Amino acid sequence: MEELFIYGLLMDLSSAAERLYNEKLDELFMKNPDDPYLLELELICGNIGESVIFITNHTNFTKLDLKVFRKQIIYILSSIYNTIDIHEFTELSYTLWNRLPGFIAHEEPFLILSYAGDSLSWGDSVSADKNYKKIFSYYD
């Protein structure tokens, strides 16, 4: 469920995340066809905006394994990082940071997402790359 939530938060920003979200949703729904949360997500699948709003408004963090959730965010971001341009990734990661609940967004390594790509504005992609790699190696 943690992966589904993360992909859901990213799917309107990345076609790779949208594809992964749809695959994960289908997998979870096939295993749990009676789950009303998954059923609703299947019904609105294809409407990215509505899906993102539903996920954001209906995720119960007390039911998520936050340790797994945090590691999954890092893993998913690192896999997306290698598939898109660093400028596009900076937009995606900053938007994700804004969507995370405050108790996660304002802790390391997630706080770095709020400024990791700032150096791109003056043409310094090396510093941005270092910031992202610092995030990706946090749980190693």
Side-chain angles (χ1 to χ4, degrees):
M1 202 60 132
E2 290 80 6
E3 274 182 288
L4 182 66
F5 178 69
I6 298 162
Y7 291 133
L9 290 176
L10 294 171
M11 74 176 159
D12 63 330
L13 306 170
S14 162
S15 58
E18 180 184 2
R19 180 181 48 77
L20 293 169
Y21 167 82
N22 287 327
E23 289 172 8
K24 189 55 143 176
L25 176 58
D26 290 345
E27 175 190 326
L28 290 171
F29 185 70
M30 294 301 285
K31 290 179 185 175
N32 306 292
D34 296 328
D35 184 313
Y37 180 80
L38 295 173
L39 176 60
E40 182 64 29
L41 288 172
E42 279 288 346
L43 291 172
I44 60 176
C45 189
N47 185 332
I48 294 173
E50 191 173 339
S51 296
V52 170
I53 290 168
F54 182 86
I55 290 167
T56 303
N57 291 335
H58 292 87
T59 298
N60 182 348
F61 282 94
T62 61
K63 291 186 178 182
L64 291 179
D65 181 334
L66 292 176
K67 186 175 182 178
V68 170
F69 179 71
R70 289 176 178 107
K71 286 183 177 183
Q72 283 292 326
I73 292 171
I74 300 303
Y75 173 76
I76 291 167
L77 284 175
S78 67
S79 62
I80 292 173
Y81 182 75
N82 296 314
T83 64
I84 61 177
D85 173 76
I86 194 167
H87 296 277
E88 184 181 352
F89 183 81
T90 296
E91 265 185 62
L92 179 143
S93 63
Y94 184 75
T95 301
L96 173 64
W97 177 76
N98 277 310
R99 290 178 176 176
L100 291 173
F103 70 95
I104 294 175
H106 293 99
E107 66 178 23
E108 292 295 332
F110 304 102
L111 186 58
I112 299 169
L113 293 173
S114 69
Y115 63 82
D118 287 355
S119 63
L120 292 174
S121 65
W122 59 84
D124 182 3
S125 61
V126 173
S127 292
D129 184 60
K130 282 183 183 178
N131 284 332
Y132 290 123
K133 288 184 175 164
K134 180 179 178 182
I135 296 167
F136 303 149
S137 66
Y138 190 82
Y139 289 108
D140 289 346

